[in-house]
Amino acid sequence: MTNPLQQAAQAIVAGKHVIAVTGAGISVESGIPDFRSPSGIWNTYPPEQYATIDAFMADPDRVWNMWYDLGAMLSDAAPNPGHHALTALQDMGRLDAVITQNIDNLHEEAGCTTVIEYHGNAKHMRCLDCQRVVPLDMDKRTSKAPRCTCGGIMKPDVVLFGDLIPEEAVRAADHAAENADVVIIVGTSATVYPAAQLPITAKHNGAFIIECNLEATDFTARITDAFLEGPAGTTLPTLVEAVLEILQ
Ligand code: NAD
Ligand code: ZN
């Protein structure tokens, strides 16, 4: 019997279209807490009160205060070995795309070139009136929501609860999930839909599912073929090593 690590590595080597679906867990070791951790920013700013489109529209100034705090935390964060391991797989020609629910830009900062941002990117903001997208300039922080040159209110260019997922990201992610023969799920609790549907779609089409998580999730019993338990900053580099060993 081969162990889950070997099974996962063999699936990646045999796979023609390998994708990764990542969530907040992959960035925890970069110092960005996920929604579930008991301490940190989400305690001060409960997501259901600050990360909904209704909360934003009701009081943009109040919600921007939280986004500036979050922005400061994101600018301090750097990619960790988990992000770098996925980039290494990409550079070896073994990973087609990373679909991420994260808004922290860390896959890009790790050199990943095929990132499908399912929930947008907090380093940018978008005008609610003219849709112009510009970088978020932390130095221009005031107590008010930033304004566009057209006078419109700027919103962080992220998908808030109640927002639609950007059409292009949905199309690209659906296409990648439908064609994948291996999916590496990393650090997502499988609770936020429709992102959580992507590995399920792939599984229905026959994909082999690798899950790298600290603990079992709703995916584990339902669709996971190889569960790699532990922090992604350890399990993903180990997985890359196991792939390299087979290839040597
Ligand atoms: P989640 O917080 O619901 O779940 C995170 C999962 O990662 C949990 O299962 C947890 O056990 C696991 N985990 C924690 N540390 C880990 C580690 N070191 N290695 C591997 N796994 C680890 O996150 P979610 O499913 O991504 O859903 C939350 C939503 O909030 C997402 O849609 C995302 O857009 C947003 N969010 C983003 C960030 C970010 O950009 N970094 C941070 C928090 C929340
Ligand atoms: Zn505008």
Side-chain angles (χ1 to χ4, degrees):
M1 246 333 244
T2 48
N3 65 33
L5 176 65
Q6 285 162 336
Q7 287 179 316
Q10 277 158 5
I12 289 171
V13 171
K16 293 204 165 22
H17 296 291
V18 181
I19 62 169
V21 176
T22 69
I26 195 171
S27 296
V28 166
E29 290 160 88
S30 294
I32 304 169
D34 63 12
F35 276 173
R36 296 168 141 218
S37 66
S39 62
I41 190 162
W42 309 119
N43 251 4
T44 321
Y45 299 115
E48 56 282 5
Q49 286 172 34
Y50 283 86
T52 72
I53 186 65
D54 288 347
F56 183 82
M57 297 311 284
D59 193 346
D61 296 346
R62 185 182 82 107
V63 172
W64 261 104
N65 200 39
M66 171 264 201
W67 282 97
Y68 275 122
D69 279 359
L70 186 62
M73 188 172 71
L74 296 186
S75 0
D76 288 344
N80 67 60
H83 298 100
H84 290 302
L86 289 181
T87 304
L89 279 183
Q90 169 198 273
D91 293 346
M92 289 156 62
R94 300 280 163 184
L95 184 69
D96 283 2
V98 174
I99 303 168
T100 189
Q101 298 169 73
N102 295 343
I103 54 173
D104 54 27
N105 205 47
L106 291 184
H107 286 296
E108 285 91 340
E109 286 170 38
C112 191
T113 51
T114 47
V115 186
I116 300 169
E117 290 178 328
Y118 214 67
H119 290 163
N121 189 319
K123 301 242 158 140
H124 296 104
M125 52 188 189
R126 179 186 293 271
C127 173
L128 287 177
D129 287 348
C130 73
Q131 305 302 320
R132 181 199 308 264
V133 175
V134 294
L136 169 60
D137 185 348
M138 293 294 293
D139 294 339
K140 293 199 176 134
R141 176 174 188 162
T142 68
S143 58
K144 297 258 174 232
R147 294 277 178 164
C148 177
T149 45
C150 84
I153 292 176
M154 288 297 205
K155 181 185 156 272
D157 193 23
V158 302
V159 174
L160 301 179
F161 291 106
D163 271 337
L164 291 175
I165 314 286
E167 242 176 75
E168 212 184 293
V170 171
R171 215 173 311 127
D174 282 350
H175 181 77
E178 279 158 20
N179 287 295
D181 46 21
V182 180
V183 179
I184 312 170
I185 300 170
V186 190
T188 171
S189 62
T191 48
V192 179
Y193 277 82
Q197 184 60 41
L198 294 165
I200 298 169
T201 301
K203 176 74 175 184
H204 285 160
N205 291 341
F208 185 93
I209 310 293
I210 302 164
E211 180 179 358
C212 302
N213 240 317
L214 276 190
E215 58 199 0
T217 66
D218 284 354
F219 287 134
T220 316
R222 201 171 156 201
I223 61 166
T224 300
D225 295 297
F227 186 64
L228 306 183
E229 188 177 346
T234 304
T235 54
L236 283 174
T238 307
L239 180 59
V240 173
E241 271 170 38
V243 167
L244 282 170
E245 248 167 56
I246 298 174
L247 291 173
Q248 267 161 16

